[in-house]
Amino acid sequence: MIKQIFNRFPRKPSKSSENREGGGTSTSSSNAFSSSRNNDLSGNRYASQGATSLAGFNSTSNLGSNYGNKLSQVVNSKLNGSQPPPYEALPSFRDVPNSEKQNLFIRKLNLCCFVFDFSDPTKNFKEKDIKRQTLVELVDYVSSANGKFSETMMQEMIKMVSINLFRTLSSPPRENKVLEAFDLEEDEPSMDPAWPHLQVVYEFLLRFVASPETDAKLAKRYIDHSFVLRLLDLFDSEDPREREYLKTVLHRIYGKFMVHRPFIRKAINNIFYRLIFETEKHNGIAELLEILGSIINGFALPLKEEHKLFLVRALIPLHKPKCLPMYHQQLSYCITQFVEKDCKLADTVIRGMLKYWPITNSSKEVMFLGELEEVLEVTQPAEFQRCMVPLFRQIGRCLNSSHFQVAERALFLWNNDHIENLIRQNRKVTLPIIFPALERNARQHWNQAVQSLTLNIRKIFSDIDPELFEECLVKFQEDETREKETKVKRETTWQRLEEIAAVKAASNEPVLVSPKIMPRAPSG
């Protein structure tokens, strides 16, 4: 009967294909992981959900033994239109001697290679329960292993993981979701109905990668580039629980398999490029940036040219997509990490942000100002002086924004002591640039809070350098007078043109146009 089951599973791949498939290892024990998992990466919003649903693993693992003698469970579902072979539970690990446990482990792995249809919750209920309990037993076995995993075991483990996890993700049309990018966080996330099985498979993979019994040199034959790429493809899943597991698993793989690190960074770069230049939508950018935040934090100094190119070509352009609110917090952290590592990058980062500064999106502009404050907080005076002219031209435009939140957020920059000191030290350059904006706000901005904040900042400049303040005020008044004169001249000119046009129209006299104004089209 068991042979009939095995004959239905995908056959063992050839040696060349084995090298293209992936597997996983880790240096820390599973117990150590369980206590530190939520500390690996920041922002694990759904970690508590995963921990709660996994809390019943140990309490339910004994249920697998209840099926040890029940060999008549048959799958009612059909695969490719045909009736599958009998799906039978296997004995518990406690019911077999130690010499047989490895063989039983492989048999259980093969049993779990059958993928059920979860579109109908009532379909094959018993068989699904058998598989889940078997998966729970496999998790317990990997967690408590006290001997190195053999190559055969690794191959079968990765085969089972690949069959269950690597699938085509179903999601709503991208075109509609891009337009609604700012509302995505308010919508209910899409939950995969197969999660009761997928979660245990992810936990199995996580325990396998984290297990000290997994030999990294051997496991890299199976956790290879192909395996990593397919894991990265799953980051576009609509289910946030799945993305949380993927984030933790990939971070563990990055930490254990040093040989894969450059490839993983390059593959993540490619996902970012696809988002920026093609799709403008990806569900897992925030999780990928959380991984990168931890990676950037560990970069050695001086920074390699490869890492600086990654900042310029991938991270800074990530400010462009419409779905920026989905991952802006994580992106801002990565950007700030780079500036903290190398203060000379502040000028590059600030000029890059100015390049992608939003024009018509006020909520996005508020986010940019918040990120700008974080970057300026770790910016040194020399780098600040390089970019302060274009920077304060943009800040001046924000100060005059008719959207009160944008103007208010720009004025809040003066609440930061470090930024205020930078502005004070360079006031001879910064004040003349933003003085017109401050003066217009103080006179005519519709929002009372913006007016009050503006008056406070004017007073700061007036107190620290009265002479400079007076010079700027005189220049502003002169420019204002000159602008009024220009406006009067323009209105007078238009009035004369209207009068001439009215006279010509009354006399039906044609209006002659000089050939110098209307050059002839080139012949030939």
Side-chain angles (χ1 to χ4, degrees), residues 438-445 451 473 476-477 480:
L438 294 173
E439 198 66 21
R440 293 189 193 100
N441 271 8
R443 292 183 183 182
Q444 59 191 25
H445 200 283
Q451 280 192 346
L473 180 59
F476 174 77
Q477 292 172 345
E480 196 174 35

Side-chain angles (χ1 to χ4, degrees), residues 497-515:
L497 288 173
E498 290 174 357
E499 291 172 357
I500 294 172
V503 171
K504 297 287 186 182
S507 62
N508 289 328
E509 184 179 347
V511 178
L512 299 179
V513 180
S514 172

Side-chain angles (χ1 to χ4, degrees), residues 146-423:
N146 54 8
K148 294 292 183 183
F149 295 120
S150 66
E151 185 172 359
T152 302
M153 295 173 70
M154 290 184 184
Q155 180 181 352
E156 294 300 321
M157 282 191 274
I158 296 306
K159 183 183 77 171
M160 186 275 289
V161 168
S162 300
I163 290 173
N164 281 277
L165 296 185
F166 300 145
R167 65 207 189 279
T168 302
L169 297 174
S170 59
S171 61
R174 287 190 181 277
E175 292 76 13
N176 296 333
K177 301 209 75 177
V178 171
L179 298 177
E180 302 168 1
F182 294 107
D183 299 326
L184 287 179
E185 292 185 351
E186 300 177 4
D187 297 337
E188 287 295 326
S190 175
M191 301 300 186
D192 196 318
W195 184 245
H197 284 191
L198 291 175
Q199 181 184 18
V200 194
V201 176
Y202 274 115
E203 189 67 23
F204 174 84
L205 175 60
L206 192 55
R207 301 289 177 92
F208 169 64
V209 173
S211 174
E213 306 301 338
T214 303
D215 184 0
K217 293 182 179 178
L218 189 61
K220 70 180 181 182
R221 301 179 186 178
Y222 304 100
I223 295 189
D224 59 358
H225 291 177
S226 174
F227 186 86
V228 169
L229 282 176
R230 288 182 292 172
L231 270 183
L232 287 169
D233 287 340
L234 294 175
F235 271 87
D236 203 14
S237 170
E238 294 278 338
D239 196 325
R241 302 168 299 181
E242 181 169 18
R243 298 197 302 269
E244 282 296 319
Y245 262 107
L246 283 164
K247 177 182 68 176
T248 310
V249 169
L250 185 64
H251 191 255
R252 287 284 178 158
I253 291 175
Y254 186 91
K256 185 154 194 171
F257 297 89
M258 295 185 66
V259 67
H260 291 338
R261 290 183 180 182
F263 177 81
I264 292 174
R265 292 196 300 267
K266 184 177 179 181
I268 293 176
N269 280 8
N270 292 336
I271 293 176
F272 291 164
Y273 295 151
R274 213 173 305 130
L275 169 73
I276 296 165
F277 300 110
E278 295 179 13
T279 63
E280 292 193 352
K281 171 68 175 64
H282 191 286
N283 293 308
I285 299 299
E287 286 78 12
L288 291 171
L289 286 170
E290 286 183 32
I291 297 172
L292 286 171
S294 178
I295 292 173
I296 295 167
N297 191 37
F299 281 165
L301 295 176
L303 290 175
K304 295 180 180 179
E305 193 64 26
E306 168 203 349
H307 302 328
K308 295 179 182 179
L309 288 175
F310 164 67
L311 169 67
V312 173
R313 295 179 178 177
L315 285 187
I316 293 178
L318 277 177
H319 290 87
K320 178 183 177 182
K322 296 178 181 178
C323 59
L324 175 66
M326 296 176 63
Y327 58 80
H328 180 259
Q329 181 181 357
Q330 293 82 359
L331 176 62
S332 179
Y333 176 78
C334 291
I335 295 285
T336 308
Q337 285 288 305
F338 264 105
V339 180
E340 287 181 352
K341 287 281 182 180
D342 187 353
C343 61
K344 293 181 180 179
L345 293 173
D347 176 56
T348 302
V349 168
I350 291 173
R351 289 181 182 274
M353 290 181 63
L354 294 177
K355 177 181 177 181
Y356 296 103
W357 200 276
I359 298 175
T360 59
N361 193 325
S362 55
S363 60
K364 197 173 178 181
E365 201 165 3
V366 171
M367 286 189 290
F368 269 59
L369 287 166
E371 182 181 352
L372 180 63
E373 180 176 353
E374 294 180 7
V375 173
L376 287 174
E377 198 168 6
V378 293
T379 300
Q380 300 303 314
E383 276 59 50
F384 178 79
Q385 291 172 1
R386 293 181 184 178
C387 61
M388 59 184 176
V389 173
L391 171 62
F392 274 82
R393 285 175 182 164
Q394 181 59 57
I395 291 177
R397 287 189 284 270
C398 292
L399 291 173
N400 277 153
S401 174
S402 58
H403 195 294
F404 78 97
Q405 288 180 331
V406 175
E408 195 174 53
R409 190 64 187 84
L411 291 163
F412 282 159
L413 292 175
W414 274 262
N415 290 343
N416 187 295
D417 293 338
H418 179 72
I419 298 175
E420 186 182 356
N421 287 334
L422 290 174
I423 297 173

